[in-house]
Amino acid sequence: MLKELLLLALAALCASAMHIPGKTADMDFLHKQKKIYELLFFVKQNTLTDTEFYEIGRNYDIENNIDLYKDKAVAQEFLYMYRQGMLQRNAIFSPYYEEHREEVKMLFKLFYCAKDFQTFYKTAAWARLHLNDGVFTSAFSVAVFYRPDCKYMRVPAPYEIYPNLYFDSNVIQEAHRIKMTRGLTTTGVDNYDNYVIYANYSSNFVEPNLYEEYKMDYFMEDHSLNAFYYYVRQVFPFWLDMKECDIPQNFRGQFYYFQHKQLYARYILERVSNDFGCVEDFDWNKHFYPGYYSTLMYNNGMQLPQRPRYSNIPFYKYKYLKEVETLEMRIMNAIDLGYVYDKTGKQVNIYTPEGLNILANIIEGNVDSCNRRFYGMYDALARDILGFNFDHSQKNKVVPSALQCYSTSMRDPGFYRLYKRIMSYFFRYKKYMPYYTQNDLILPGVKFESVSMDKMQTYFDSCDTYINNAVDVENFKDGMKLRLKARRYCLNYKPFTYRFNINSDKESKAILKIFLGPAFDKYKENDVSYLREYYKYFVELDKFVVTLRPGSNTIERRSSDSSYTMPDMTPADVYYKKLEKAVGGSEPFTYYEKVFGFPERLYLPKGKPEGMRYKMFFYLSPFDETKVTNVELPVFGKYMMDGKPFNFPLDRPMNPRKFITPNMYYTDVFIYHTKETEKTHY
């Protein structure tokens, strides 16, 4: 078993290094990274007396060290909040509750204004012992993302910090049983106790005839996909003022739109593989079709709230219905009129290069919204209503719904109905924009001659996930000698190579984009009018720079080199072991600018054994160095911005008679699923 785990870890490390340049860590980086990692092991426990952070946190006094913070007022305000009573340790944290949000916001500010790493670490050690673990983990993670002295450092994956939000309660129960009894399945190699717990998806517990969408549980409940969404929201938490961070001010809203559009389109591709039709619309005042049945449990033993299918909005949510409908009307009016009102009542035009960012910010209701008092927090309010969880006036007794937790949002079918609604506002906005002209689209002198690729195949593979944080341990040292892994089947694909034959009349650089979309039978194979209606369901799979020489060019691109995807993260136990060896001087340690991305395993939708037809669209656009900028984000690394909108040219409806140019290529492809590895239940 140990050999198997090491091979998996080695494969992940090799894959990570494949197309992302690494850097060799110095001793300062190593010591900081090790301290950060240790703070998030067994995060529910504050009595691990054999740790460095326990001694530091127990003896540290914020008030006596107030001069070590850049903004003393922040430290004083935090101490006042702490003395008034913050969220209890056994309470459930969610950023969608105002009191919880104010606490995490205040703690982040305290972390962020620490003058040096040592002060930051001591403050974090204190908070780790004295505050709610959810508040601490959220604020600490964001601080690590944005503090300059923590650049390129990573925290354990969210499914390793909180396995209970990614694996069914029976898996967590079995982990506790093994911990208590040290069962008989241990390998006991190299002084480590290794255990594997076989995990299932929710369809093992749900009647598929009643909840048919759970046939897609392998996608909706994929731990890496849900971790990706966690990072999408945690890198830009809606409570964070981006003026404090080194990120372009007009990027936040675009990122919110782009990631949700990509995720929604990718969900549509998976629906097609399972013979599901389009996602149905909903009316706030009528039955809500999809139910949600959860087998997850919060750390304090509370089960995630359920939602029966074909349910009316519960009476205790009625008070929000008028407000959510009012916000929807204001968003629609802004799109139709072409302007929003800022905080002073001034009209701000949204049909400008910055307009999409402005619109996205008011829909999310983040701190950068131009008028949150008027446009509210639509995203958060809609989640509150559709979650069906009880409202509670006591902040320590709330039980957030799956939609109110970043790690579980995508498990709820209601998530995709909500984001179909949200995307409809963006698509309405895009509809009012002018068609792209041929001059906007063409790359003079460049033509696709042909595009070919290897056979596209998917299969189900077994994935192991480190879940030690699911159990309580006597001390840190013994806890690290225990290795608990959850194993279940995950969708994967066989990497393949694209081969592009491109003719150019001159030497130049270009940006090549690859899109994948659904194919519906009522359209012919090369019917370009198809793109006019279904452009919104195309996922951008890759985007990269190519160099073209005069004449014929043959370019190859591996699917595994996509700029948007990443292999699964190195398991926390393997990563920590490498840190220990590097600190001891026995081996070098390599880190990467990009820590996480869309799961490479999910590059392709499942397809079918007999082959499932999809459409691919390839586009070459000019590479203008004067317009290209790289936006460097925590976790996700660098995003190349080429002066065009995200998903260009499939970012708005087009005139099919004038759309296709020689620098585009449009074709049908087939994706085959290997039935021998079909998902099964353990």
Side-chain angles (χ1 to χ4, degrees):
M1 179 61 207
L2 181 62
K3 181 180 179 182
E4 181 182 349
L5 291 175
L6 289 174
L7 287 173
L8 285 170
L10 181 61
L13 287 171
C14 292
S16 298
M18 191 178 297
H19 60 280
I20 304 169
K23 299 182 180 181
T24 301
D26 59 21
M27 201 55 70
D28 180 61
F29 182 98
L30 291 171
H31 282 291
K32 289 178 180 178
Q33 177 66 94
K34 186 170 179 287
K35 290 175 187 288
I36 288 171
Y37 238 59
E38 288 173 347
L39 281 166
L40 292 172
F41 280 122
F42 312 111
V43 72
K44 301 189 302 293
Q45 294 182 255
N46 63 348
T47 55
L48 299 175
T49 58
D50 62 332
T51 58
E52 178 188 12
F53 67 76
Y54 179 81
E55 284 302 317
I56 291 175
R58 192 166 64 109
N59 296 309
Y60 187 67
D61 189 304
I62 296 173
E63 191 166 25
N64 290 339
N65 293 281
I66 203 164
D67 290 334
L68 298 178
Y69 300 92
K70 296 175 186 176
D71 191 339
K72 295 180 183 179
V74 168
Q76 290 167 345
E77 188 177 349
F78 172 81
L79 288 171
Y80 176 79
M81 177 181 283
Y82 176 68
R83 288 162 183 157
Q84 294 300 307
M86 295 179 69
L87 198 64
Q88 295 174 0
R89 285 193 63 85
N90 66 341
I92 307 166
F93 165 77
S94 169
Y96 290 97
Y97 289 89
E98 185 175 4
E99 289 183 85
H100 296 195
R101 188 163 61 246
E102 289 304 312
E103 290 187 14
V104 75
K105 187 176 175 181
M106 199 69 245
L107 182 59
F108 165 78
K109 287 182 176 180
L110 182 70
F111 287 155
Y112 194 71
C113 75
K115 287 184 177 180
D116 52 46
F117 182 82
Q118 280 304 313
T119 304
F120 168 53
Y121 176 67
K122 290 177 181 178
T123 309
W126 176 90
R128 168 76 163 73
L129 301 186
H130 293 90
L131 301 183
N132 175 274
D133 62 274
V135 173
F136 165 74
T137 301
S138 184
F140 180 69
S141 299
V142 179
V144 170
F145 295 162
Y146 285 105
R147 281 187 63 89
D149 52 11
C150 297
K151 194 170 185 178
Y152 304 136
M153 295 179 191
R154 54 171 266 190
V155 297
Y159 49 78
E160 294 173 329
I161 301 174
Y162 291 113
N164 59 297
L165 297 179
Y166 294 83
F167 294 95
D168 297 329
S169 56
N170 65 323
V171 173
I172 307 303
Q173 183 68 28
E174 180 64 11
H176 283 290
R177 189 195 67 79
I178 290 173
K179 170 61 179 60
M180 293 296 292
T181 62
R182 280 297 208 269
L184 301 177
T185 56
T186 176
T187 60
V189 179
D190 295 336
N191 294 319
Y192 288 92
D193 289 341
N194 298 280
Y195 300 90
V196 174
I197 302 170
Y198 294 95
N200 292 312
Y201 293 101
S202 294
S203 60
N204 189 48
F205 309 97
V206 178
E207 175 56 54
N209 293 331
L210 294 178
Y211 294 86
E212 62 178 15
E213 198 149 348
Y214 279 90
K215 294 175 183 176
M216 289 174 54
D217 56 5
Y218 65 88
F219 176 79
M220 298 189 299
E221 299 178 10
D222 185 275
H223 64 280
S224 293
L225 180 64
N226 281 275
F228 173 73
Y229 188 68
Y230 170 89
Y231 282 127
V232 165
R233 300 311 298 265
Q234 192 73 344
V235 164
F236 287 115
F238 59 92
W239 49 263
L240 179 63
D241 189 343
M242 297 312 297
K243 295 182 180 67
E244 301 174 6
C245 307
D246 188 23
I247 302 291
Q249 290 300 303
N250 66 342
F251 186 80
R252 177 189 206 146
Q254 295 183 61
F255 185 78
Y256 171 85
Y257 161 72
F258 171 68
Q259 293 296 353
H260 285 95
K261 191 260 184 185
Q262 288 273 101
L263 287 170
Y264 180 71
R266 180 62 183 81
Y267 168 77
I268 294 297
L269 298 186
E270 209 61 49
R271 283 181 69 89
V272 171
S273 283
N274 288 275
D275 297 319
F276 292 143
C278 294
V279 177
E280 71 282 351
D281 293 310
F282 69 91
D283 187 318
W284 293 109
N285 300 295
K286 294 182 179 179
H287 291 89
F288 189 71
Y289 167 67
Y292 175 62
Y293 175 79
S294 174
T295 54
L296 301 180
M297 189 175 291
Y298 286 116
N299 277 332
N300 64 358
M302 297 297 294
Q303 190 175 20
L304 268 71
Q306 317 290 313
R307 183 184 60 247
R309 68 175 191 156
Y310 289 119
S311 296
N312 284 321
I313 301 298
F315 70 90
Y316 47 85
K317 300 291 187 183
Y318 287 174
K319 57 189 175 184
Y320 303 127
L321 293 182
K322 186 174 182 180
E323 181 181 357
V324 77
E325 290 173 338
T326 299
L327 295 183
E328 288 179 339
M329 186 58 66
R330 289 173 180 174
I331 292 168
M332 293 273 281
N333 286 342
I335 294 168
D336 292 345
L337 293 171
Y339 59 83
V340 296
Y341 293 103
D342 68 11
K343 294 173 184 176
T344 66
K346 179 184 175 183
Q347 294 179 0
V348 179
N349 183 10
I350 59 172
Y351 287 96
T352 63
E354 300 79 26
L356 178 64
N357 184 67
I358 295 170
L359 178 63
N361 284 338
I362 68 169
I363 289 175
E364 185 185 19
N366 60 49
V367 177
D368 291 336
S369 169
C370 66
N371 191 346
R372 192 151 68 165
R373 185 178 66 183
F374 186 68
Y375 293 104
M377 300 172 66
Y378 176 75
D379 185 307
L381 181 61
R383 287 170 182 260
D384 189 359
I385 298 171
L386 294 178
F388 277 43
N389 57 315
F390 288 107
D391 293 337
H392 210 294
S393 59
Q394 295 288 329
K395 67 179 180 181
N396 293 307
K397 295 183 179 180
V398 299
V399 182
S401 71
L403 293 173
Q404 293 176 310
C405 177
Y406 298 151
S407 294
T408 58
S409 291
M410 294 189 69
R411 298 172 71 99
D412 185 346
F415 173 87
Y416 306 97
R417 276 69 184 173
L418 171 59
Y419 277 95
K420 179 183 181 181
R421 175 74 58 92
I422 288 176
M423 286 299 109
S424 72
Y425 300 134
F426 288 111
F427 298 149
R428 187 181 185 92
Y429 170 75
K430 293 281 189 176
K431 182 181 70 174
Y432 291 136
M433 291 183 168
Y435 291 143
Y436 288 123
T437 66
Q438 291 241 331
N439 288 336
D440 294 325
L441 300 170
I442 198 166
L443 181 56
V446 175
K447 179 183 179 182
F448 275 106
E449 297 293 346
S450 66
V451 178
S452 64
M453 62 214 73
D454 303 327
K455 186 177 181 180
M456 297 180 174
Q457 292 179 281
T458 66
Y459 61 98
F460 280 100
D461 196 6
S462 61
C463 298
D464 287 358
T465 306
Y466 181 73
I467 61 168
N468 269 34
N469 270 16
V471 301
D472 290 343
V473 295
E474 290 79 8
N475 56 67
F476 187 86
K477 183 178 180 181
D478 288 346
M480 295 306 293
K481 288 183 177 179
L482 174 68
R483 285 177 177 166
L484 291 169
K485 303 275 182 174
R487 176 177 295 173
R488 68 180 173 191
Y489 286 102
C490 301
L491 184 64
N492 207 336
Y493 84 109
K494 293 182 179 179
F496 60 92
T497 300
Y498 297 98
R499 296 173 184 85
F500 304 96
N501 291 315
I502 302 168
N503 200 288
S504 177
D505 64 1
K506 60 183 178 297
E507 183 170 334
S508 63
K509 284 187 175 182
I511 297 173
L512 203 162
K513 297 182 180 182
I514 303 173
F515 296 85
L516 177 68
F520 296 107
D521 291 337
K522 64 180 180 178
Y523 287 89
K524 296 179 181 179
E525 181 173 345
N526 293 312
D527 188 349
V528 181
S529 63
Y530 180 90
L531 290 172
R532 181 174 186 171
E533 183 174 353
Y534 294 110
Y535 75 93
K536 62 192 74 167
Y537 299 142
F538 277 70
V539 176
E540 188 171 329
L541 294 179
D542 202 359
K543 175 182 177 181
F544 56 99
V545 178
V546 296
T547 300
L548 301 175
R549 308 294 182 192
S552 180
N553 295 263
T554 300
I555 296 171
E556 292 191 352
R557 176 74 168 182
R558 293 177 297 184
S559 60
S560 56
D561 287 344
S562 170
S563 60
Y564 293 124
T565 63
M566 279 281 285
D568 286 345
M569 287 179 75
T570 306
D573 57 328
V574 176
Y575 190 82
Y576 184 72
K577 191 68 178 176
K578 289 177 68 67
L579 278 173
E580 286 187 314
K581 289 182 178 179
V583 169
S586 61
E587 66 177 45
F589 185 89
T590 303
Y591 64 93
Y592 301 91
E593 296 179 6
K594 183 177 179 180
V595 174
F596 209 85
F598 186 83
E600 187 186 319
R601 290 185 292 97
L602 301 178
Y603 186 85
L604 295 177
K606 188 179 72 169
K608 291 184 176 181
E610 66 274 20
M612 184 75 193
R613 187 164 68 99
Y614 287 88
K615 290 186 178 291
M616 294 203 84
F617 177 79
F618 305 91
Y619 177 68
L620 279 164
S621 63
F623 179 80
D624 185 346
E625 292 189 13
T626 63
K627 295 181 180 179
V628 172
T629 58
N630 285 307
V631 178
E632 189 168 10
L633 302 181
V635 180
F636 299 119
K638 292 178 181 176
Y639 270 69
M640 181 179 66
M641 307 298 292
D642 58 357
K644 302 288 186 181
F646 278 118
N647 290 136
F648 176 84
L650 299 185
D651 65 303
R652 66 176 73 167
M654 74 292 294
N655 185 339
R657 295 188 303 276
K658 298 181 179 180
F659 184 72
I660 292 297
T661 56
N663 53 311
M664 299 179 184
Y665 196 88
Y666 180 55
T667 187
D668 282 8
V669 296
F670 287 84
I671 299 175
Y672 298 87
H673 180 65
T674 305
K675 200 168 185 179
E676 288 75 18
T677 59
E678 189 59 72
K679 181 193 72 171
T680 58
H681 293 301
Y682 288 112

